[in-house]
Amino acid sequence: MYPLSCANGYKYPGTEAPYVLDIISVGGGLAATASDQSLCLFDPLRLDQGPLKAIQTDHGALSSAKAYSAAESVVCTTGENGTVSLWDLRLRPTDARALHIAGGGPSFFSLACSSQANALAVGTELANHQASIIIWDLRSPSAPRIQYNEVHSDDVTELNFHPSAPHLLLSGSTDGLVSVCDTRIADEDEVLVQTFNHGSVHRAGFLNDTELYAVSHDEKFALYDMAEGVANGSATVDFGDVRQVVGCQYVAGVFPKLNGAGAVIGVGSQDQEMFQMIHLARQGAAWGLDRDSVVALPGAHGSELIRSFYFIDEEQLVLTAGEDSCIKAWRPGN
């Protein structure tokens, strides 16, 4: 186990300070969203100096935020009032909103975007017996390009575009299904590439070109493969309840490696005031959790949950954000 020390941090002010929800690495620094509907930009190396920029979004309540173009510091946000905004964090806060889409329908629970495909997708809550995936082409965003109403039968909680084939969209739902759709196809009878039954989906995403992961709301973790010749619907690796496997209380997130060689899983324990990052890697022919190279953050965010984490390898820096209103930077000890 390799422990890191808290080297810097920032705490949102106020007697009822907000939860920090998401942190996203962008070219201009570190973008952060919070439960007070703010979108802020920080210098990750100087968190204690406070936000470089602060924007107030207007989604009713923020539900999801992702980078549309990390290199250009363009971030997308969505929320409970069924709206989506695109923000250019290179600009002054008053000029930063580059696009606003008013859905006028149910709450948006999840979000995916791809600058490569000029695409933005949202997943809705279940309303009037329908949960939808709505996709816009941002070159003509006045109306959705396509909408799927039958892929899921409950809240759509997760969306991710394929890293190298952005016409493929992964979705997860509280109906228990993880689905992969070919968004070039309009016919809902033909759109599904693969479906896996995992259990109520909290997080899911692609590990590489064919393999994906899923974490349920009760912390069950499994890997699946949509390649031809692999048994349909079955997990290739089923880790079961991660809490029992690694001795944690919750999964904060999963970060796939850019080269497709694995992922980093962030898990926390409020009782122990501990957060750990565990490498998911191939062990022989199969995937496994590397328990010999765990990175630990003792103290973490106290007894509060960590909502989001990120690591910058070249800086030997880990960043965490939590329900204690704090963003923290962690480094190897002296």
Side-chain angles (χ1 to χ4, degrees):
M1 184 176 290
Y2 301 92
L4 303 184
S5 300
C6 185
N8 204 336
Y10 174 77
K11 182 177 177 63
Y12 283 64
T15 54
E16 295 185 7
Y19 293 170
V20 189
L21 304 175
D22 286 297
I23 50 175
I24 305 162
S25 180
V26 296
L30 185 76
T33 59
S35 58
D36 61 0
Q37 291 209 70
S38 65
L39 168 63
C40 295
L41 183 69
F42 293 87
D43 181 341
L45 304 181
R46 299 175 178 85
L47 291 174
D48 57 349
Q49 295 185 1
L52 304 174
K53 297 177 183 178
I55 295 165
Q56 196 66 21
T57 69
D58 52 4
H59 299 299
L62 279 161
S63 60
S64 185
K66 290 185 177 177
Y68 176 72
S69 172
E72 297 179 338
S73 298
V74 178
V75 171
C76 190
T77 58
T78 192
E80 71 171 3
N81 63 5
T83 61
V84 187
S85 291
L86 213 62
W87 308 92
D88 187 339
L89 298 180
R90 296 168 298 183
L91 304 178
R92 294 180 303 176
T94 52
D95 301 325
R97 180 143 57 189
L99 179 67
H100 182 70
I101 297 173
S107 296
F108 294 162
F109 278 0
S110 52
L111 168 73
C113 40
S114 168
S115 57
Q116 181 182 353
N118 301 296
L120 186 154
V122 297
T124 77
E125 68 172 340
L126 180 68
N128 298 319
H129 310 288
Q130 180 175 293
S132 302
I133 298 169
I134 308 169
I135 304 171
W136 287 267
D137 184 331
L138 293 186
R139 292 168 295 189
S140 54
S142 58
R145 180 178 70 81
I146 203 163
Q147 179 168 330
Y148 301 121
N149 300 322
E150 299 175 5
V151 173
H152 293 291
S153 59
D154 210 338
D155 301 338
V156 182
T157 52
E158 182 71 290
L159 289 173
N160 278 296
F161 283 105
H162 191 281
S164 60
H167 62 278
L168 297 177
L169 178 66
L170 178 151
S171 59
S173 168
T174 51
D175 65 6
L177 300 180
V178 178
S179 299
V180 179
C181 295
D182 186 337
T183 64
R184 299 172 297 185
I185 298 172
D187 186 345
E188 293 211 49
D189 291 332
E190 303 291 335
V191 70
L192 286 173
V193 174
Q194 186 63 275
T195 298
F196 306 98
N197 192 348
H198 179 74
S200 180
V201 177
H202 181 210
R203 298 188 183 276
F206 292 103
L207 283 175
N208 50 47
D209 283 346
T210 67
E211 293 176 286
L212 54 98
Y213 68 88
V215 182
S216 68
H217 282 103
D218 57 358
E219 316 300 351
K220 290 185 173 63
F221 179 48
L223 308 183
Y224 301 89
D225 197 331
M226 64 180 189
E228 293 183 11
V230 178
N232 288 349
S234 301
T236 52
V237 183
D238 188 348
F239 293 97
D241 189 335
V242 176
R243 294 172 296 188
Q244 298 176 7
V245 175
V246 300
C248 68
Q249 289 177 276
Y250 66 95
V251 178
V254 179
F255 272 93
K257 295 281 192 178
L258 293 178
N259 60 4
V264 173
I265 303 170
V267 301
S269 174
Q270 310 98 292
D271 291 351
Q272 299 176 29
E273 299 189 0
M274 174 64 77
F275 190 76
Q276 299 178 74
M277 296 187 300
I278 304 170
H279 190 207
L280 172 71
R282 287 201 183 277
Q283 298 177 348
W287 290 99
L289 296 173
D290 183 358
R291 301 305 308 280
D292 295 328
S293 59
V294 172
V295 175
L297 312 182
H301 286 239
S303 60
E304 301 291 345
L305 269 70
I306 288 177
R307 285 290 195 102
S308 184
F309 72 100
Y310 193 80
F311 47 90
I312 305 175
D313 286 338
E314 58 270 25
E315 294 286 346
Q316 291 189 301
L317 185 70
V318 173
L319 298 152
T320 57
E323 295 187 358
D324 60 348
S325 311
C326 291
I327 303 175
K328 294 184 176 183
W330 304 79
R331 291 186 182 277
N334 295 328

